[in-house]
């Protein structure tokens, strides 16, 4: 740290992204990326857009906003595109949290919420999950702050139904509720249809998982238009060109190739169910994940040790070294071949440890 670093950020602990190793070829099941390449239409469109990189990107993101709005059954004024969904989540912390509106989120959830709260120097309250890692919706009634819910939750994969989220919305008429649907396309149910009914609901989604564009950095928020207008004020006060031209083109190509995305999601769901069933047969305990990852532990294996052993054998998963999830690993669902390689490695480890 330099002596010039502002006092207000000195205590900040930044978010730790999952490893992106360059030194060897891993079976990479640690950051919930899609195992499938972007749609060929996205790749072609991005390459074409590269020819126009001498010009700034469209700050209104008009064409892609229209396509996303149409896909969601929303108006364009109800949608805001951002540089990954992290950016819209960051805007939400800036826009809707302060001394009198603390952030409220689960103790086990997406780690960036705490970082955003620290970065923006807003107070926050963490609510413990139940022992089975499910969310008790009553804990969020009259939250006295801005609620952030990852749905499905990460790293557990457990989803609330829109009816349960609606209960939380109804009990928080004067609080914003942010529903982070990064993983919704793998079996969760979206709350987007609720945005007209609740002016306190912001739903965020991403192109990083189901749409194979993690490296493109593209996400969006959907909400009542006044909320989108607030978020736009922040966007135009930080980076009006927040989504680059190649990514806008890739996003449009992806939206035009909806069958490709749908097919990949079906495959990921099939592979998740296949792998979960096999893991359970091997004695693993897993949550009921509706996401593109599996959250698993084995009563006979230490979570941290399992993570390290898998890594030595060329398979990278994600381990969170904190209570009460230390015994678990989060395994991104990959191709059937990747899942079979994982299952064989686990079988071997179990035989060795027994
Ligand atoms: N929300 C959750 C729950 C996530 O796990 C992630 C991915 N790390 C994000 C949001 C952000 O993803 P992105 O910025 O790539 O859209």
């Amino acid at each position: 740290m330099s002596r010039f670093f502002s006092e207000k950020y000195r205590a900040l602990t930044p978010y730790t992204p999952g490893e992106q190793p360059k030194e060897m070829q891993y079976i990479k099941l640690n950051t919930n990326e899609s195992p499938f390449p972007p749609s060929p239409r996205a790749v072609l469109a991005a390459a074409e857009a590269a020819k126009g990189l001498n010009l700034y990107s469209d700050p209104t993101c008009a064409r892609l906003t229209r396509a996303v709005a149409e896909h969601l059954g929303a108006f364009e004024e109800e949608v805001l595109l951002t540089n990954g969904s992290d950016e819209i989540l960051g805007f939400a912390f800036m826009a809707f949290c302060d001394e009198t509106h603390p952030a409220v989120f689960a103790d086990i959830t997406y780690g960036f919420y705490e970082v955003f709260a620290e970065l923006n120097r807003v107070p926050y309250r963490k609510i413990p999950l139940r022992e089975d890692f499910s969310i008790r919706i009553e804990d969020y009634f009259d939250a006295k702050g801005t609620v952030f819910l990852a749905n499905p939750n990460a790293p557990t994969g457990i989803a609330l139904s829109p009816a349960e989220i609606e209960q939380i919305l109804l009990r928080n008429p004067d609080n914003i509720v942010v529903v982070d649907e990064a993983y919704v396309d793998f079996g969760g149910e979206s709350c987007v249809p609720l945005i007209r009914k609740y002016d306190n609901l912001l739903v965020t989604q991403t192109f990083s998982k189901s749409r194979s564009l993690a490296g493109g950095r593209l996400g969006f928020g959907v909400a009542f238009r006044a909320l989108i207008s607030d978020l736009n004020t922040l966007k135009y006060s930080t980076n009006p060109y927040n989504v680059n031209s190649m990514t806008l083109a890739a996003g449009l190509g992806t939206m035009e190739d909806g069958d490709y995305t749908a097919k990949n999601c079906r495959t990921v769901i099939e592979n998740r169910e296949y792998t979960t069933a096999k893991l359970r047969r091997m004695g693993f305990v897993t949550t009921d994940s509706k996401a593109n990852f599996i959250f698993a532990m084995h009563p006979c294996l230490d979570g941290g040790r399992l993570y390290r052993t898998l890594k030595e054998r060329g398979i990278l998963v994600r381990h969170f070294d904190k209570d009460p999830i230390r015994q678990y690993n989060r395994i991104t669902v990959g191709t059937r071949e990747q899942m079979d390689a994982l299952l064989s490695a686990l079988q071997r480890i179990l035989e060795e440890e027994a």
Side-chain angles (χ1 to χ4, degrees):
M1 186 187 304
S2 87
R3 63 198 162 94
F4 304 106
F5 198 33
S6 171
E7 194 58 51
K8 60 180 187 279
Y9 297 129
R10 284 180 175 241
L12 193 61
T13 309
Y15 178 71
T16 315
E19 300 161 83
Q20 300 287 358
K22 300 281 173 286
E23 80 277 16
M24 75 175 252
Q25 280 281 322
Y26 285 97
I27 296 181
K28 197 172 170 305
L29 308 174
N30 69 329
T31 44
N32 300 341
E33 291 141 329
S34 172
F36 306 111
S39 152
R41 290 169 83 151
V43 176
L44 270 178
E48 190 57 33
K51 295 178 189 161
L53 283 177
N54 53 314
L55 301 179
Y56 282 112
S57 59
D58 170 15
T60 69
C61 305
R63 288 182 68 198
L64 183 55
T65 303
R66 202 173 310 131
V68 170
E70 209 165 279
H71 170 75
L72 298 169
F75 291 114
E76 288 154 52
E77 299 79 8
E78 294 167 332
V79 175
L80 175 61
L81 292 171
T82 51
N83 191 311
S85 58
D86 280 339
E87 189 178 46
I88 193 127
L89 291 166
F91 287 160
F93 274 84
M94 288 166 75
F96 306 125
C97 298
D98 56 30
E99 276 302 318
T100 52
H101 301 86
V104 179
F105 45 85
D107 64 341
I108 302 297
T109 189
Y110 184 33
F112 225 133
Y113 301 157
E114 188 163 344
V115 178
F116 280 134
E118 294 280 352
L119 176 68
N120 290 289
R121 294 150 71 82
V122 294
Y124 56 96
R125 186 158 57 88
K126 296 200 270 187
I127 300 183
L129 299 178
R130 287 197 189 100
E131 218 162 280
D132 65 0
F133 301 140
S134 62
I135 282 177
R136 210 177 80 93
I137 58 168
E138 292 80 7
D139 290 342
Y140 295 80
F141 291 178
D142 189 20
K144 298 190 174 60
T146 300
V147 176
F148 290 83
L149 288 167
N151 193 47
N153 197 11
T156 66
I158 299 173
L160 293 171
S161 68
E164 289 172 302
I165 303 251
E166 200 164 359
Q167 285 300 310
I168 295 175
L169 285 160
L170 279 167
R171 305 301 180 98
N172 284 284
D174 298 319
N175 297 317
I176 293 285
V177 177
V178 179
V179 181
D180 171 353
E181 296 187 346
Y183 300 104
V184 77
D185 296 325
F186 303 103
E189 226 185 303
S190 178
C191 287
V192 167
L194 298 178
I195 60 152
R196 300 264 169 76
K197 207 164 157 193
Y198 298 96
D199 67 356
N200 57 332
L201 170 64
L202 167 65
V203 181
T204 64
Q205 289 191 14
T206 183
F207 279 63
S208 295
K209 319 291 179 185
S210 57
R211 299 182 181 91
S212 299
L213 278 185
R217 311 305 301 126
L218 185 61
F220 58 90
V222 200
F224 184 66
R225 58 187 74 199
L227 295 189
I228 293 297
S229 163
D230 297 342
L231 295 162
N232 252 315
T233 299
L234 295 172
K235 161 185 154 144
Y236 281 96
S237 304
T238 47
N239 184 5
Y241 309 108
N242 60 337
V243 187
N244 75 72
S245 314
M246 287 192 296
T247 294
L248 284 176
L252 202 55
T254 303
M255 292 311 293
E256 288 165 358
D257 203 358
D259 290 349
Y260 179 79
T261 299
K263 178 170 143 285
N264 288 342
C265 288
R266 279 197 303 275
T267 306
V268 167
I269 292 169
E270 273 167 30
N271 290 353
R272 179 186 69 210
E273 297 309 310
Y274 164 84
T275 311
T276 303
K278 294 234 168 188
L279 285 173
R280 286 181 178 165
R281 241 171 279 145
M282 290 159 70
F284 279 87
V285 176
T286 71
T287 56
D288 178 23
S289 174
K290 295 278 187 282
N292 66 340
F293 52 83
I294 298 165
F295 198 51
M297 67 87 95
H298 196 286
C300 306
L301 298 173
D302 174 75
R305 195 173 137 154
L306 178 60
Y307 158 78
R308 288 186 296 276
T309 311
L310 282 171
K311 187 172 178 185
E312 280 161 24
R313 297 179 189 194
I315 300 177
L316 212 48
V317 298
R318 187 96 197 246
H319 179 249
F320 299 91
D321 197 10
K322 65 174 197 173
D323 283 329
I325 55 172
R326 187 166 276 125
Q327 281 302 86
Y328 281 76
N329 278 287
R330 191 194 69 190
I331 304 162
T332 302
V333 177
T335 60
R336 186 59 70 98
E337 294 70 30
Q338 289 176 317
M339 295 292 96
D340 281 334
L342 168 84
L343 290 164
S344 308
L346 290 173
Q347 187 61 49
R348 235 170 295 128
I349 292 168
L350 276 172
E351 283 158 15
E352 289 163 11
E353 301 277 321

